[in-house]
Amino acid sequence: MSFPGSVIAPVLTPFDSQLEVDPLRFVALCRVLLDQGVDLAPFGTTSEGPSLSVDERLRLLDALAETGVDMGRVMPGTGCCALPDTVRLSAHAARLGCGAVLMLPPFYYKGVSDDALFASFAAVIERVADPRLKVVLYHFPRHSQTPISLELVDRLRRAFPDTVVGLKDSSGDWDNMRTAIERFPGFHVWSGTERLMLDILRAGGAGVISANANLNGRAMLDLAQGWRGAEAKALQTRLDQFRAAVQGRPLIPALKAMLADWLEDPEWRHVRPPQLLSD
Amino acid sequence: MSFPGSVIAPVLTPFDSQLEVDPLRFVALCRVLLDQGVDLAPFGTTSEGPSLSVDERLRLLDALAETGVDMGRVMPGTGCCALPDTVRLSAHAARLGCGAVLMLPPFYYKGVSDDALFASFAAVIERVADPRLKVVLYHFPRHSQTPISLELVDRLRRAFPDTVVGLKDSSGDWDNMRTAIERFPGFHVWSGTERLMLDILRAGGAGVISANANLNGRAMLDLAQGWRGAEAKALQTRLDQFRAAVQGRPLIPALKAMLADWLEDPEWRHVRPPQLLSD
């Protein structure tokens, strides 16, 4: 990853008509994005990552690595409910030289304490036991319903200073992001929405990991380049206009439909339940 | 399963000190429970089911089947976030002759519609494509944050009348259980808490699938036998007293600690994060 100023796409996952993953289309989209300058966070929320089995994620990641791309620009989602699944995915990503992994907390049991979440992340890190492992904590309370508090971030950073390197904050809560940046020097904080891209770059954050980077990554990279200049607000406005155009529709099917239209490849429309096909 | 009047334990899952699953202890507990007359729902919430990989669940289920027990008395939890995981587990359970499977909806994405959940369950049933598959829908909104509405139950029953045979209602909402029993003749409704055991038996429900059946199953079976008699209320009171004794502590570690003490086998105390060891 290049930061500050990194733009990362939670890569859309292609399925065929039987809803099987499609490594060829996956690699093709990854290469388009990388060529644009967009880094990759496959198996994130927008990627339907939790709807993929561990074996499917490994197969897609291996297919990408086999093409010889710089895996340092890849941050796969590896956080599952089951400890051995998270360990297996994270260890494999570290072996492949991935720049980092994006790790959800175990998200089935609700109302768990920071002690329990600390134990969960610690158990993964200790089992992977690989200095190449770099963890970006994934805070997405809307879906995980398992928030990662800044107190928990602080504890994990102190316990694993060389491993726990960043936070993706998909809460949309600017105060939380700003506080994380100020409180943890050297820590990388990404916003989950490009609505806050100019704000987070000005505050010293790492950049954005945003669904819309699948389709609008170039405009985000323009802001990543130009945020110190006079045109910064205009570049942010362009991002906001794209967001407005997709808002109000279910995000994943909408993005896949747009990609299908853009590539003239209707296969890209397929989604796995509980996502529903776009009209 | 024998219903009405069935008592089903979400079997506690044994881990060794490295937090690896322990098939020998698992089978031993299963046999104790079956001998008591308690049926089995391994890989439920109390079983730390979502904390187990698919391979671990298959290994434990195979170990149980190999002992020659009546798999018709076994209802494993098979609902995962990823469609292929749920299909693989459910298909295997059907092949082994399991009486039913207990199926959570995909529970990562929140705010999904009934249409989306219908599509999720339908996709599993159509892919398993085995008339032996019997599905008990698992409604546990506190943890899944993905409720199964009675409208969804109705649609699934109409679409798959020979497959969708029951509901485990862990909402604690008596009105919802009573309505399900009245609205769907021939449908099996289990309460997730034995607090409502007498109520649900009187209303024509199937029985209980309760955490405490791991330790207090005999008392529940006494009520299952005696609920029409004069001693019914006293038998319910015994269940309530046991519940009061374990309440207020984190349930899974507390039950494992009690089992460890009862069996004089401290290995039973191990839990996987995000569960924390009992003090």
Side-chain angles (χ1 to χ4, degrees):
Chain A
M1 318 280 144
S2 53
F3 26 75
S6 71
V7 172
I8 307 178
V11 188
L12 293 166
T13 303
F15 300 110
D16 66 19
S17 61
Q18 299 304 304
L19 302 188
E20 298 294 324
V21 295
D22 180 341
L24 288 180
R25 280 186 174 81
F26 172 75
V27 167
L29 177 59
C30 286
R31 296 198 69 124
V32 167
L33 291 166
L34 288 170
D35 288 348
Q36 288 177 350
V38 173
D39 293 334
L40 309 179
F43 323 140
T45 297
T46 305
S47 318
E48 301 171 76
S51 302
L52 303 175
S53 71
V54 171
D55 287 340
E56 288 175 325
R57 297 197 215 189
L58 294 175
R59 191 178 347 144
L60 292 176
L61 206 56
D62 284 340
L64 182 62
E66 283 161 16
T67 66
V69 304
D70 174 6
M71 294 302 280
R73 295 178 63 192
V74 182
M75 185 200 293
T78 63
C80 302
C81 292
L83 174 63
D85 289 344
T86 307
V87 169
R88 195 165 155 231
L89 283 166
S90 301
H92 196 77
R95 273 195 301 273
L96 289 179
C98 290
V101 300
L102 183 60
M103 201 180 289
L104 282 168
F107 54 80
Y108 177 66
Y109 295 97
K110 302 308 185 299
V112 299
S113 64
D114 273 6
D115 283 350
L117 294 180
F118 180 87
S120 300
F121 286 113
V124 174
I125 293 167
E126 288 161 359
R127 280 165 174 73
V128 172
D130 186 330
R132 291 170 294 184
L133 178 69
K134 305 296 171 193
V135 173
V136 173
L137 303 167
Y138 191 1
H139 174 54
F140 200 166
R142 181 185 160 208
H143 287 301
S144 69
Q145 296 280 321
T146 306
I148 297 175
S149 71
L150 296 186
E151 288 62 45
L152 176 61
V153 173
D154 191 35
R155 287 178 60 185
L156 286 164
R157 269 170 52 86
R158 287 172 194 273
F160 306 102
D162 297 328
T163 306
V164 177
V165 299
L167 174 72
K168 179 188 178 188
D169 187 337
S170 294
S171 68
D173 177 352
W174 170 242
D175 278 344
N176 196 66
M177 293 178 220
R178 187 182 44 75
T179 305
I181 293 166
E182 290 171 2
R183 184 167 165 186
F184 307 124
F187 195 59
H188 305 296
V189 180
W190 284 269
S191 168
T193 168
E194 74 273 22
R195 174 173 61 81
L196 297 170
M197 184 162 176
L198 182 54
D199 291 326
I200 203 163
L201 292 172
R202 285 179 170 166
V208 292
I209 305 176
S210 163
N212 293 332
N214 278 283
L215 285 142
N216 200 34
R218 277 183 221 243
M220 295 180 199
L221 287 162
D222 288 343
L223 180 54
Q225 292 289 323
W227 66 273
R228 285 185 178 86
E231 74 283 33
K233 282 214 166 168
L235 293 170
Q236 177 67 51
T237 299
R238 267 173 64 202
L239 303 187
D240 296 339
Q241 286 166 343
F242 185 93
R243 285 185 72 244
V246 290
Q247 220 152 21
R249 300 158 64 189
L251 184 64
I252 297 169
L255 290 175
K256 283 188 150 178
M258 289 172 73
L259 186 65
D261 290 347
W262 178 47
L263 298 174
E264 298 182 7
D265 178 0
E267 287 288 300
W268 264 106
R269 287 181 174 264
H270 298 298
V271 291
R272 267 198 185 156
Q275 306 304 319
L276 290 177
L277 266 182
S278 184
D279 295 330
Chain B
M1 317 282 141
S2 53
F3 26 75
S6 71
V7 172
I8 308 181
V11 188
L12 292 166
T13 302
F15 300 110
D16 65 19
S17 61
Q18 300 304 306
L19 303 188
E20 298 294 322
V21 295
D22 179 342
L24 287 179
R25 280 186 173 81
F26 172 75
V27 167
L29 177 60
C30 287
R31 296 199 69 124
V32 166
L33 291 165
L34 289 169
D35 288 349
Q36 288 176 350
V38 173
D39 294 333
L40 308 179
F43 325 140
T45 298
T46 304
S47 317
E48 302 172 76
S51 302
L52 304 175
S53 71
V54 170
D55 286 340
E56 288 175 326
R57 298 196 214 190
L58 293 175
R59 190 177 350 142
L60 293 176
L61 205 56
D62 283 341
L64 182 62
E66 283 161 14
T67 67
V69 305
D70 174 7
M71 295 300 282
R73 294 178 62 192
V74 182
M75 184 200 293
T78 64
C80 302
C81 292
L83 174 64
D85 290 344
T86 307
V87 169
R88 194 164 155 231
L89 283 166
S90 301
H92 196 77
R95 274 195 301 272
L96 289 179
C98 290
V101 300
L102 183 58
M103 200 179 290
L104 281 168
F107 53 81
Y108 176 67
Y109 295 97
K110 303 306 186 299
V112 298
S113 64
D114 273 7
D115 283 350
L117 294 180
F118 180 88
S120 300
F121 286 112
V124 174
I125 293 167
E126 289 161 0
R127 279 165 175 72
V128 173
D130 186 331
R132 292 169 294 183
L133 178 69
K134 305 295 170 191
V135 173
V136 174
L137 303 167
Y138 190 2
H139 174 54
F140 199 166
R142 181 183 159 211
H143 288 301
S144 70
Q145 296 280 323
T146 306
I148 297 174
S149 71
L150 296 185
E151 287 62 44
L152 176 61
V153 173
D154 190 36
R155 286 178 60 185
L156 286 165
R157 271 170 50 85
R158 287 173 194 273
F160 305 102
D162 298 327
T163 305
V164 177
V165 300
L167 175 72
K168 179 187 179 189
D169 187 337
S170 293
S171 67
D173 176 352
W174 171 242
D175 278 344
N176 196 66
M177 295 178 218
R178 186 182 44 74
T179 305
I181 294 166
E182 290 171 1
R183 184 165 165 188
F184 307 124
F187 195 59
H188 305 297
V189 179
W190 284 270
S191 168
T193 168
E194 74 271 25
R195 174 172 62 81
L196 297 169
M197 183 163 177
L198 182 53
D199 290 327
I200 204 164
L201 292 172
R202 284 178 170 166
V208 291
I209 305 176
S210 164
N212 293 330
N214 279 283
L215 285 142
N216 200 34
R218 278 181 219 241
M220 295 179 199
L221 287 162
D222 288 344
L223 180 55
Q225 293 290 322
W227 66 273
R228 286 187 179 85
E231 76 282 34
K233 281 212 167 168
L235 293 170
Q236 177 67 52
T237 299
R238 268 173 62 201
L239 302 187
D240 296 339
Q241 286 166 342
F242 184 94
R243 283 186 73 244
V246 290
Q247 222 150 20
R249 301 160 62 190
L251 185 65
I252 297 169
L255 289 174
K256 284 190 150 178
M258 291 174 70
L259 186 66
D261 291 347
W262 177 47
L263 298 174
E264 299 182 6
D265 178 0
E267 288 287 303
W268 264 106
R269 287 180 174 263
H270 297 299
V271 290
R272 265 195 186 160
Q275 308 302 317
L276 289 177
L277 266 182
S278 183
D279 295 329

